[in-house]
């Protein structure tokens, strides 16, 4: 999914940029190719969509909240509860205590207690639940800074914008920076892209 998002995101950036006409055509062709590539995996995508529909239906009805999507919903609800009780950050142990109390009071499904010991499966909510509004603000500031850097580059560094797109989108359902590999990859990409020599934009 991250790869598909990267292809679509970068293609759209080329299409909407002020690059020369041939680059915009290339972006449009890449976007069409990415859509066709996703369509070619329909035999894999369709079952996942049906599974997602079933998960959401069971969650809303209360039949089963421990599905893949239902677990994420419970973790996100738990993150909001933690943030309300500790807006400046709860830390790992206090977060666990708050979620355990919510489970005991039947305000959260027990599945939230199990998975919250890993992460909250959302980058922003992970920061907010652990480090409060300060951590959440710093995460958004980091993304915004990279976007501004890419936008001001001459020509606009579409690769930087594409990297942010992938990380921010994937971070909606997972905590990427919980993984050392994801953090090292981001820093490496930023180091390489920032050091690339600027090229003149064709008119």
């Amino acid at each position: 999914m991250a790869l598909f998002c990267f292809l679509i995101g970068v293609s759209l950036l080329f299409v909407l940029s002020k690059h020369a006409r041939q680059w915009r055509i290339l972006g449009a062709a890449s976007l069409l190719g990415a859509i066709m590539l996703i369509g070619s995996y329909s035999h894999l995508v369709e079952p996942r969509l049906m599974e997602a529909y079933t998960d959401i239906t069971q969650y809303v009805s209360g039949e089963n909240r421990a599905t893949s999507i239902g677990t994420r919903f419970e973790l996100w609800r738990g993150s909001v509860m933690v943030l309300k009780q500790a807006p400046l950050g709860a830390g790992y142990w206090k977060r666990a205590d708050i979620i355990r109390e919510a489970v005991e009071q039947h305000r959260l499904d027990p599945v939230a207690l199990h998975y919250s010991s890993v992460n909250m499966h959302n980058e922003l909510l992970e920061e907010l639940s652990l480090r409060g509004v300060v951590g959440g603000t710093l995460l958004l500031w980091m993304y915004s800074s990279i976007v501004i850097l890419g936008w001001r580059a001459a020509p606009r560094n579409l690769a930087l914008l594409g990297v942010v797109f992938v990380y921010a989108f994937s971070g909606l359902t997972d905590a990427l920076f919980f993984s050392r590999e994801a953090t090292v990859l981001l820093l490496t990409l930023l180091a390489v892209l920032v050091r690339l020599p600027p090229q003149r934009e064709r008119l």
Side-chain angles (χ1 to χ4, degrees), residues 152-157 192-201:
R152 289 180 175 176
R156 295 186 179 92
N157 196 329
V192 171
L193 294 174
V194 169
R195 294 300 300 170
L196 284 178
Q199 298 178 356
R200 292 184 178 276
E201 182 175 357

Side-chain angles (χ1 to χ4, degrees), residues 2-24:
L3 177 59
F4 289 151
C5 291
F6 179 79
L7 292 174
I8 293 176
V10 173
S11 299
L12 284 173
L13 289 171
F14 269 106
V15 172
L16 300 175
S17 71
K18 294 183 179 180
H19 278 271
R21 182 170 176 267
Q22 60 265 31
W23 284 105
R24 293 198 297 273

Side-chain angles (χ1 to χ4, degrees), residues 63-88:
E63 177 184 351
N64 184 9
R65 296 182 183 274
T67 61
S68 177
I69 293 180
T71 297
R72 284 171 167 79
F73 287 164
E74 288 296 278
L75 289 172
W76 299 344
R77 289 180 61 231
S79 300
V80 174
M81 293 178 184
V82 172
L83 180 62
K84 288 180 178 179
Q85 292 194 37
L88 295 181

Side-chain angles (χ1 to χ4, degrees), residues 140-158:
L140 295 177
W141 176 78
M142 180 195 74
Y143 283 142
S144 301
S145 298
I146 300 174
V147 168
I148 293 173
L149 177 63
W151 190 256
R152 289 180 175 176
R156 295 186 179 92
N157 196 329
L158 301 179

Side-chain angles (χ1 to χ4, degrees), residues 109-169:
D109 189 276
V111 71
L113 184 60
H114 174 72
Y115 284 97
S116 63
S117 61
V118 183
N119 62 69
M120 307 307 284
H121 281 71
N122 180 291
E123 197 70 68
L124 180 58
L125 292 178
E126 173 77 2
E127 287 297 317
L128 289 172
S129 64
L130 288 179
R131 302 172 183 87
V133 293
V134 175
T137 301
L138 288 176
L139 177 66
L140 295 177
W141 176 78
M142 180 195 74
Y143 283 142
S144 301
S145 298
I146 300 174
V147 168
I148 293 173
L149 177 63
W151 190 256
R152 289 180 175 176
R156 295 186 179 92
N157 196 329
L158 301 179
L160 280 174
L161 301 180
V163 167
V164 173
F165 180 88
V166 170
Y167 269 77
F169 186 88

